[in-house]
Amino acid sequence: MNILSNLTLTYPKTRIAIDYLFVLIGAAIIALTFNVFLLPNQVASGGVSGISTILKAVLGWEPAYVQWAFNIPLFIAGVVLLGKQFGVKTLAGTIFLPLVVFFTRNLDPWTNDALLGALFGGIGVGLGLGIVFRGRASTGGTDLAAQIIHKYTGFSLGRCVVIIDGLIVLVAAIVFDIEKGLYALIALYVTSKTIDLIQVGFGRSKMTMIITGKQEEVREGILNKIDRGVTKLSAYGGFTDHERPVLMCVVDQSEFTKLKQLVRALDPSAFVVVMDAAEVLGEGFKRP
């Protein structure tokens, strides 16, 4: 990813080409996942793809046609009502995804187990969407509908997405059965977690807040022995109302044990709070 970052900084047009590549690859993964995992197992996990799964079962309509029929008008409505911020990349994803669904429609299912279909379907859709989001675009669909509802109702965007996907899952539970609706919920959950994983990466850092009476010793230890930066935050004790600066430090997972040992050795009575940091940008970590 550092090579890509350097390329895009040196050649701005390369960034645009890479964005489009991400959109097309991500859309292709979503389409393939839909045909080999979700559709054959009738897992309607929200979105336009979920609607097309239901209509395929009820009316026999070709899913690709249904997706075009929903996606393109929604994209136009989004541009008219919300502005032109979606751009050509989102239009590319909106058109390309159903196209791949159409050309891969005759592939054999990779599993006929609905639970496996929901799990791996959720992973595939999450992987594809994560890649599309990396390309700074979307595949349109009900995401645009949620943004329109958000703008004109005042509901939070997250609530709008939940309402739309929840209605689709509810209809799927009625059309198919309750069990298929539960599988759809599993797929939705796995999709959201996979998107997070693709967006922030596999690495996890730890953010520590250290309250100690030996601030200088701990600060110098972190700087010199762990070779990490440390920030001193102004704070006051709630009981004493005396100034008690807090040392904040972010370290890699592999460095965390060394930090704990350092603090324990310098000040056994130190108060340490540890939190997960999903993504850290800056010196010593990933580039912004």
Side-chain angles (χ1 to χ4, degrees), residues 225-238:
K225 295 183 179 180
I226 301 181
D227 194 26
R228 282 295 181 189
V230 60
T231 301
K232 185 183 289 188
L233 305 177
S234 179
Y236 290 84

Side-chain angles (χ1 to χ4, degrees), residues 21-103:
L21 185 63
F22 280 170
V23 171
L24 297 181
I25 290 174
I29 291 173
I30 296 168
L32 180 63
T33 298
F34 173 78
N35 276 332
V36 299
F37 287 122
L38 299 177
L39 182 63
N41 292 292
Q42 296 181 328
V43 178
S45 57
V48 172
S49 64
I51 296 173
S52 67
T53 299
I54 295 169
L55 293 179
K56 170 71 173 177
V58 175
L59 301 173
W61 290 356
E62 184 64 48
Y65 297 155
V66 173
Q67 291 172 23
W68 273 319
F70 277 88
N71 280 342
I72 294 175
L74 280 171
F75 178 82
I76 295 171
V79 171
V80 171
L81 298 174
L82 304 175
K84 299 179 180 179
Q85 67 266 34
F86 304 110
V88 181
K89 284 183 292 186
T90 295
L91 179 60
T94 296
I95 295 174
F96 186 69
L97 195 158
L99 184 66
V100 180
V101 168
F102 180 79
F103 283 115

